Amino acid sequence: ARNDPAALTQLEHDLTAEDGYYSGKLDTDRRNVLLNQVLGRRDQVERAARDATDRIEAKADRALVEFEQQIATGVMAPVEAMQAWQLDVAGGTEAQRDRFRELLDDEIELREVRKLSPVEQQQYLQGRRAERQASGATARQVANLHRIETLIEGDQRRLRESPLEHDAMLKGTTVQPLNVQALANGNAEAVRLQLAERMTTLTRMRRQYGPQVGNAPLLQQEAAALSAVLGQASVRQAAQLFGTLNRAIGDPAMYSAAMQQIAPDSPVRAYAGTIYAQQRAGGPPDAAITSQSRNANFGDVAMYLLKGEALLNPGKGGKATDGKATSFPMPPPQQVEQRIAAEVREAFAGRPQEFDVATQAVRAYYAAKSADEGDVSGQLNAGRLRLAIRAVIGERTRYEGRDVLPPWGMPAGEFRDKAESHVQERLKAAGMRDPGNVALMNVRGRDGAYVLVRGIEPLMDANGMPLVIRVGAPR
């Protein structure tokens, strides 16, 4: 009976009860010695059983915690891990098994919510919050809703900043990294197919999730590596890198997005990279600017920007021919900014950061032009500044009483003609009559994209989304 609690209890009865088997058959001392052994052994067996139960329940608790943590990451657990957790919980209490089933339901709900577009996700959350307010909720339901909210916030951030990695995470795969060294060495062909596949993925994601998906064709580590290369490059080497990247990507919007990734702390270089591609859209990216290039009358604008940036910000790669850092004499920044603001008027309304970048780029072009013309006086040359504004920002125009900037390199007259037809087509596609006085506002971060407005209010379609048009490249 020594390992059987029930048998030990029976033996205690047999030793102590009047009708017990050993009643009257053993003297008191012998009976007490044996009883002491029985009671001690039963205590040991029961304690061991409690310990075993505690270990099993603790193991089940650990499995539940690990499962809950896994759900919080938003990444589906491997099959082997799920099977192990299920086995661990199976030996626990009924309450633990119930909790495991609840977590499975929570994970299924979370996975379904993550399939929705960002707009649908917000609608789902609003509905759940309203239900909670109306009917109350258990602690578990509150915790699950909080988990969904946290994951949706993370998803939307990744959709904007690293959509390729977000897509791979949901599919349980990884993104194959680019051969950054090949790009840096000028070999566009080595990565062209990979980049094309990435752009296909981003296009699919934009159809699924909407415009919240960011244009980020590079992984964060790739952008950091190319940024490091760019930081050590000369003006000409930087231009060659821009050319290689443009050939490899082959899409103006994606190229512009890649430039924003590569040079986030050097916006003038990013600006130069975008213009570099636009001026060479009709021929080989590394070819010289011809009379057929956009804004050809302003010269190689990208190279001017790079030269000017090197003069004004030597810490970002700019060096004189002798290798020493330089400091180029310029008019006071406030004086330059005031002139630019007077030229563009309200065309940068709601886009203060873009106005700041444009101002830096105008100063860079102005510095390069001043250096070419041998002007180191630091005095403002109004004509040269107007030239820099037209070369870098473009020609501001009025459309239905509002200042707006055409796509880079497009004359104002051509823009107004194209914009009018685009506005009418967009209103018709939205099933709306022309309400009159429909003006345009430049869309932040998207050259050639405009939102339709009346006064300061954007026009909305039936789904509550702003009406946007995109005016193409100049003829």
Side-chain angles (χ1 to χ4, degrees), residues 20 28 45 119 136 150 315 345 362 377 447 460:
T28 302
V45 171
V119 172
T150 301
R345 296 183 185 175
V362 168
S377 67
D447 184 47
M460 303 288 190

Side-chain angles (χ1 to χ4, degrees), residues 312 327-336 363 366-367 369-371 373-382 384-385:
L312 299 177
S327 178
F328 192 80
M330 287 284 289
Q334 186 176 6
Q335 190 178 16
V336 174
R363 292 183 73 249
Y366 180 94
K369 274 290 187 180
S370 297
E373 295 173 15
D375 183 357
V376 292
S377 67
Q379 299 298 312
L380 179 66
N381 183 308
R384 189 182 302 139
L385 183 57

Side-chain angles (χ1 to χ4, degrees), residues 335-365:
Q335 190 178 16
V336 174
E337 185 174 324
Q338 288 173 347
R339 292 293 184 104
I340 296 173
E343 285 283 336
V344 300
R345 296 183 185 175
E346 64 174 350
F348 279 95
R351 300 184 295 148
Q353 290 182 327
E354 290 188 24
F355 175 75
D356 180 62
V357 173
T359 298
Q360 293 181 53
V362 168
R363 292 183 73 249
Y365 185 95

Side-chain angles (χ1 to χ4, degrees), residues 238-249:
Q240 289 171 346
L241 177 58
F242 295 153
T244 302
L245 193 61
N246 180 43
R247 287 198 306 275
I249 293 178

